[in-house]
Amino acid sequence: MAKVIDGKGFADRLCEQLRDEVSSLKQAHDLTPCIAVVLVGDDPASHVYVSNKVKRCEQLGIESREHRLPATCSADELIGLVAQLNSDPGVHGILVQLPLPEHLDENAVINGISPEKDVDGFTLLNTGALAVGQRGLVPCTPLGSLMLLKDQLGDLSGLNAVVVGRSNIVGKPMASLLLQENCTVTIAHSRTRDLPGVCRQADILVAAVGRPRFIKGDWIKPGATVIDVGINRIEEDGRKRLVGDVDFDAAQPVAGAITPVPGGVGPMTIACLMYNTVTAAKASRGLDH
Ligand code: NDP
C-alpha cells in the first residue's frame, strides 16, 4: 500500500518555522510581514478561502489587511486600490482573491500588482521568471506540491513526470518547476491521446484536472509518487465530501506514495502563501530568504 503523504503535517511544520522567522524579523529588523487581501463580491467559497488565509496569518504573526469591494465595483476602483497597495511600503504582499466578477478583467488586475508583491506568483513577470529559471515569486500550489515531492523523493533528476492539466495557476508552473528539477516532463490535457498510457509512464504523476476521481488505479505506474491537486465537492451516500482528481482507493494499492484529499496539497497552498509573504517582506529590505 502506498505511503500517504501528510501534507497537513508538512504545512504545519513549515508554518512553525515561518512563525519563528517572523518573530526574529520583528526583533532584529523591526519588520512585520504584511499581506493585503482584496476580496470583490460575495462569493461564499472566496469568503471561506480568505478567512482561512487571514487565520493562518494571525497564527504566524503576519499582519493581514482585508479590503472588501462590492461585486459592482468598477475596474478603475479595483486597479486604483491595487496601485495604492503597490505604493504602500508597509504592505509586502498583495493577493486579489479569484475569481473576480465577470465584468472585471482578471489579467489586467493581476498584472497591476507589483511583481515583488505578487505573492500568488500570477503576474506576467513572475510567470516569465519561472519559465526561464530566474528568481521570482512562484505560485503557491505548485510550490507546495514540489516541496512534498522533494521531501518524499529527494533528488528528482531524471524521473519521468506527467502533469495532467495545463492551467496557468497549477499545471504549467508545476511543469516548469519539475523541469528545473531535471525531470523529463510531459504535460497532458483534454486533447492528449491515450491519457492512461501517458500516465503509466510517470514516476511522478501530478493530477490537476478538476474532475472527481478521474485518474484510475490502472493508469498508475507501480511505485509512482502521486500528487493529487484536485479539490472536488461531491455528494455521495447522502453526504457532502471532498475528493481529489485521483481515485484514491484504487490508486493506493499501486502507487508508492500519494497525497490524500483533503490533507494533502490543500494545506500546502496556504503555507506557501505565508512563505511567499515572508520572502517578499525580506526582499523588500534586501534580506535573503
Ligand atoms: P482548470 O480547470 O483551469 O484546468 C483543468 C485542466 O485539466 C485543463 O488544462 C484541462 O485541459 C484539463 N482537463 C480537463 N478535462 C480533462 C480530460 N478529460 N483529460 C485530460 N485533461 C483534462 O483547473 P485548475 O488547474 O485551476 O485546477 C485543477 C484542480 O485543482 C481543481 O480541482 C481545483 O479545484 C484544484 N485546485 C486545488 C488547489 C489546492 O490548493 N489544492 C489550488 C488550485 C486548484 P484543457 O486545457 O485541454 O482544457
Side-chain angles (χ1 to χ4, degrees), residues 40-262:
V40 183
D42 305 312
D43 178 50
S46 292
H47 276 262
V48 173
Y49 293 143
V50 166
S51 83
N52 288 342
K53 288 167 187 172
V54 168
K55 248 185 248 160
R56 251 316 188 194
C57 287
E58 280 167 10
Q59 288 166 1
L60 270 59
I62 292 174
E63 186 186 340
S64 62
R65 299 187 195 165
E66 258 185 88
H67 296 266
R68 293 182 182 220
L69 295 176
T72 52
C73 83
S74 68
D76 284 352
E77 258 177 286
L78 178 54
I79 290 172
L81 172 60
V82 168
Q84 189 190 316
L85 296 169
N86 283 339
S87 55
D88 183 340
V91 171
H92 308 106
I94 302 171
L95 180 149
V96 177
Q97 184 64 46
L98 302 178
L100 292 174
E102 263 180 21
H103 68 283
L104 297 167
D105 177 354
E106 283 186 358
N107 287 332
V109 174
I110 295 303
N111 286 311
I113 299 173
S114 291
E116 61 274 15
K117 297 191 180 188
D118 168 30
V119 284
D120 260 337
F122 292 165
T123 57
L124 281 177
L125 205 103
N126 281 317
T127 304
L130 178 59
V132 297
Q134 287 186 20
R135 227 173 138 147
L137 289 161
V138 175
C140 302
T141 301
L143 180 60
S145 301
L146 184 72
M147 286 180 184
L148 293 179
L149 280 169
K150 289 182 81 166
D151 184 55
Q152 193 59 37
L153 297 170
D155 184 8
L156 309 183
S157 286
L159 295 177
N160 279 340
V162 174
V163 180
V164 190
R166 56 173 164 179
S167 72
N168 291 334
I169 62 169
V170 188
K172 284 181 196 150
M174 186 75 237
S176 295
L177 286 172
L178 290 164
L179 191 58
Q180 272 177 27
E181 296 297 324
N182 301 312
C183 292
T184 303
V185 183
T186 303
I187 307 179
H189 45 77
S190 65
R191 313 288 174 90
T192 296
R193 290 189 191 156
D194 185 20
L195 185 61
V198 171
C199 291
R200 271 184 219 114
Q201 302 297 316
D203 303 305
I204 294 171
L205 181 62
V206 180
V209 188
R211 291 175 179 240
R213 299 181 183 132
F214 177 71
I215 308 271
K216 309 300 174 208
D218 63 358
W219 298 15
I220 293 169
K221 179 178 176 179
T225 302
V226 179
I227 301 290
D228 189 352
V229 177
I231 300 180
N232 306 289
R233 287 171 179 79
I234 63 163
E235 200 156 333
E236 197 170 59
D237 304 329
R239 63 189 186 102
K240 290 187 174 138
R241 52 182 304 195
L242 286 185
V243 298
D245 289 344
V246 178
D247 183 345
F248 185 89
D249 292 341
Q252 206 187 6
V254 190
I258 183 168
T259 56
V261 178

Side-chain angles (χ1 to χ4, degrees), residues 272-283:
C272 286
L273 179 67
M274 304 295 113
Y275 176 91
N276 278 350
T277 304
V278 173
T279 304
K282 291 180 81 170

